[in-house]
């Protein structure tokens, strides 16, 4: 225990005094502060006089011939006189940024006006159920036809109801009826939980990848400098491995607490300025029980991968071999991340693959946490998942310590798995 304590304190001190570690943490805190305080600063630097001169609306401008209306882009509407009376107010209200101009020019003249930028677009109607839309450059975000379809459909229905004997008011009441509905989720609201689940999964992914690589690099550095040969003779390899991994886990937790803790603090200070922003509000509205589960899966998931990274790092003779050696572990974790991301994007986090991944120790930290956040998971499944993960952490930790003890004495070409296991059995 004394050996473990010394190794843990030494490794943790190295992390906390590392300039890159401190610099990245402070940088993230400053960026988050800038984002959280932005609405407050924008309001403080905005115009002091809240009174804005009233101006006529685009529809009023078109009616009265105001200058602002003449500055608006022109939308040509080619239709019969009867249709003009029906469509004038509807198009003016649906396209407020345009100046609606009725035209009886031929198609060639309409095309010329659009290409010469005298008009921006044109609707040439063959009737209320058919038209051609002319525009010079069709944007991928152009919604003109969808809006026009809705207008013409309503006008067509209105005229049909008037012709059938309804009054204008009765027809308008039928078309403008509002459907009321209420949503009651008996389980989890995926839309509400999606954002903070995504953030937590991404943070877990980044921390495990980054700190796992750091553990492997530190072990390989000690081995290449021959310092590990002295350490292994004076300290228990299990104490060394657990000390290094626990120190890196604590460093990762400290960094996460600093980043997310400052985010929560800054959000509380500027909460009034973020009212109405569901995405930001949902991120800071994580239930306490889900936060506890997140910590459990984060710590256990970090341990199992950090042990593997440390063991693989001890088998590398040179720092240049680290990336190649840890590639299988990294690909396994990336696979788990992609499975979770695809499941979240599809809206179904209870697929057979996700359920299987929830009980595999190498994928369960992200898979089970995602299911807990975005679905209803029976308690016994959560208990089984955590138990399997905990047993695997202990087993992988002990095995990694044995690989660590054997790997530090192996130099030259990175040994194969069979050779390592053979050396462990002999030790």
């Amino acid at each position: 225990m004394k050996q473990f304590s010394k190794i843990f304190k030494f490794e943790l001190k190295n992390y906390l005094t590392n300039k890159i570690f401190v610099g990245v943490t402070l940088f993230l805190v400053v960026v988050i502060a800038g984002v959280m305080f932005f609405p407050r600063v924008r309001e403080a630097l905005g115009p002091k006089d809240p009174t804005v001169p009233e101006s006529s609306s685009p529809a009023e401008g078109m009616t009265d011939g105001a200058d602002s209306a003449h500055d608006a882009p022109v939308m040509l509407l080619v239709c019969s006189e009867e249709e003009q009376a029906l469509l004038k107010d509807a198009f003016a209200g649906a396209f407020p940024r345009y100046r609606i101009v009725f035209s009886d020019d031929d198609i060639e003249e309409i095309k010329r006006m659009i290409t010469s930028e005298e008009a921006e677009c044109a609707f040439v109607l063959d009737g209320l159920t058919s038209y051609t839309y002319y525009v010079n450059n069709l944007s991928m975000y152009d919604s003109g036809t969808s809006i026009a379809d809705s207008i013409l459909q309503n006008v067509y229905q209105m005229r049909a109801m008037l012709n059938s004997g309804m009054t204008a008011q009765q027809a308008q009441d039928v078309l403008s009826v509002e459907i009321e509905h209420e949503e009651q989720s008996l389980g989890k609201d995926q839309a509400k939980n999606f954002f903070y689940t995504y953030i937590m999964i991404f943070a877990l992914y980044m921390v495990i990848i980054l700190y796992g690589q750091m553990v492997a690099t530190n072990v390989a550095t000690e081995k290449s400098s021959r310092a590990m040969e002295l350490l292994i003779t004076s300290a228990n390899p299990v104490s060394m491995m657990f000390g290094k991994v626990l120190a890196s886990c604590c460093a990762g937790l400290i960094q996460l607490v600093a980043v997310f803790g400052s985010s929560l603090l800054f959000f509380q200070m500027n909460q009034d300025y973020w009212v109405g922003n569901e995405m930001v509000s949902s991120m800071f509205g994580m239930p306490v029980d889900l936060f506890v589960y997140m910590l459990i899966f984060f710590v256990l998931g970090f341990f199992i991968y950090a042990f593997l990274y440390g063991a693989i790092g001890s088998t590398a003779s040179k720092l240049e071999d680290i990336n190649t050696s840890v590639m299988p572990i990294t690909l396994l974790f990336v696979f788990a991340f992609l499975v979770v991301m695809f499941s979240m994007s599809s809206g179904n986090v209870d697929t057979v693959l996700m359920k299987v991944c929830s009980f595999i120790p190498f994928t369960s930290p992200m898979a089970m946490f995602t299911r807990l956040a975005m679905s209803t998971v029976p308690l016994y499944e959560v208990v089984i998942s955590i138990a399997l993960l905990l047993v695997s952490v202990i087993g992988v930790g002990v095995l990694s310590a044995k690989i660590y003890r054997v790997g530090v004495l192996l130099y030259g070409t990175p040994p194969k798995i069979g050779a390592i296991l053979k050396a462990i059995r002999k030790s």
Side-chain angles (χ1 to χ4, degrees):
M1 188 64 184
K2 187 176 180 181
Q3 292 177 347
F4 167 80
S5 178
K6 287 183 178 180
I7 294 169
F8 171 76
K9 291 178 180 178
F10 176 78
E11 293 290 338
L12 183 59
K13 181 180 178 182
N14 284 342
Y15 280 112
L16 299 181
T17 56
N18 186 288
K19 293 181 179 179
I20 297 178
F21 176 88
V22 176
V24 169
T25 305
L26 292 177
F27 172 76
L28 292 175
V29 171
V30 170
V31 170
I32 291 170
V35 173
M36 290 290 102
F37 279 93
F38 177 74
R40 182 190 290 269
V41 174
R42 181 179 59 184
E43 182 177 293
L45 298 178
K48 301 299 181 181
D49 185 6
T51 304
V52 180
E54 295 184 358
S55 59
S56 60
S57 65
E60 291 172 343
M62 286 183 287
T63 304
D64 299 334
D67 292 338
S68 59
H70 289 287
D71 293 336
V74 173
M75 174 185 287
L76 299 176
L77 197 58
V78 181
C79 56
S80 66
E81 292 185 2
E82 179 188 356
E83 292 167 344
Q84 288 183 18
L86 294 172
L87 299 175
K88 179 179 179 181
D89 293 337
F91 267 79
F95 295 98
R97 81 178 191 91
Y98 288 97
R99 181 162 59 94
I100 309 299
V101 175
F102 292 101
S103 174
D104 55 2
D105 294 321
D106 58 27
I107 298 301
E108 294 304 319
E109 178 62 15
I110 295 292
K111 292 179 179 179
R112 185 199 66 77
M113 293 179 66
I114 293 175
T115 54
S116 64
E117 298 184 352
E118 294 179 31
E120 187 168 307
C121 59
F123 288 93
V124 179
L125 274 67
D126 300 321
L128 292 178
T129 58
S130 177
Y131 68 89
T132 303
Y133 177 59
Y134 292 94
V135 63
N136 193 22
N137 297 306
L138 184 61
S139 169
M140 62 182 295
Y141 301 109
D142 193 322
S143 58
T145 53
S146 61
I147 296 174
D149 288 349
S150 178
I151 294 172
L152 293 175
Q153 184 181 41
N154 288 338
V155 171
Y156 179 84
Q157 292 172 347
M158 171 75 79
R159 189 174 68 172
M161 286 185 282
L162 291 175
N163 292 338
S164 65
M166 282 189 179
T167 65
Q169 183 60 45
Q170 290 174 328
Q172 184 63 38
D173 291 341
V174 171
L175 291 176
S176 61
V177 63
E178 295 184 2
I179 308 300
E180 297 181 359
H181 72 273
E182 180 181 353
E183 294 181 348
Q184 290 189 1
S185 177
L186 302 180
K188 302 291 179 64
D189 187 342
Q190 290 192 357
K192 182 179 179 181
N193 299 353
F194 180 87
F195 185 66
Y196 66 68
T197 304
Y198 179 86
I199 293 294
M200 294 305 166
I201 291 297
F202 191 76
L204 178 63
Y205 172 81
M206 293 300 298
V207 169
I208 289 179
I209 290 291
L210 291 176
Y211 280 91
Q213 288 276 7
M214 290 175 69
V215 170
T217 301
N218 289 342
V219 172
T221 301
E222 291 176 354
K223 180 178 179 179
S224 62
S225 65
R226 301 282 177 153
M228 193 181 292
E229 294 180 7
L230 299 175
L231 293 172
I232 204 69
T233 58
S234 59
N236 187 325
V238 175
S239 297
M240 291 186 64
M241 177 61 74
F242 275 79
K244 289 177 178 294
V245 170
L246 187 59
S248 62
C249 181
C250 287
L253 280 174
I254 290 172
Q255 192 170 52
L256 284 180
V257 169
V259 173
F260 287 103
S262 61
S263 302
L264 180 59
L265 175 63
F266 298 147
F267 174 74
Q268 294 294 335
M269 296 172 63
N270 300 279
Q271 189 169 3
D272 293 341
Y273 295 89
W274 291 101
V275 174
N277 191 313
E278 293 294 333
M279 185 172 66
V280 175
S281 299
S282 67
M283 178 180 173
F284 295 99
M286 178 185 291
V288 176
D289 60 336
L290 190 59
F291 181 76
V292 172
Y293 280 129
M294 189 270 294
L295 288 179
I296 292 173
F297 283 108
F298 168 80
V299 172
L300 294 179
F302 182 92
F303 276 156
I304 198 168
Y305 276 98
F307 282 133
L308 290 175
Y309 274 110
I312 297 299
S314 67
T315 63
S317 301
K318 299 179 294 183
L319 288 176
E320 292 80 4
D321 298 332
I322 288 294
N323 290 332
T324 303
S325 300
V326 302
M327 184 61 69
I329 302 174
T330 303
L331 290 177
L332 176 62
F333 193 61
V334 170
F335 167 77
F337 178 76
L338 292 177
V339 168
V340 169
M341 287 294 104
F342 284 132
S343 298
M344 290 179 62
S345 300
S346 68
N348 183 10
V349 296
D350 285 323
T351 61
V352 175
L353 182 58
M354 278 290 285
K355 289 182 177 180
V356 172
C357 289
S358 298
F359 299 103
I360 299 176
F362 301 107
T363 57
S364 62
M366 288 192 292
M368 181 55 81
F369 173 73
T370 302
R371 290 183 62 206
L372 284 167
M374 302 186 67
S375 181
T376 302
V377 183
L379 181 60
Y380 75 89
E381 290 190 13
V382 180
V383 173
I384 293 174
S385 179
I386 294 177
L388 290 174
L389 188 55
L390 183 59
V391 171
S392 299
V393 166
I394 297 173
V396 171
V398 174
L399 179 62
S400 298
K402 293 182 178 181
I403 296 175
Y404 178 85
R405 183 171 185 174
V406 172
V408 297
L409 303 176
L410 299 176
Y411 291 91
T413 305
K416 296 182 180 180
I417 296 178
I420 294 175
L421 295 177
K422 186 176 180 180
I424 290 175
R425 286 195 298 267
K426 290 182 179 180
S427 61

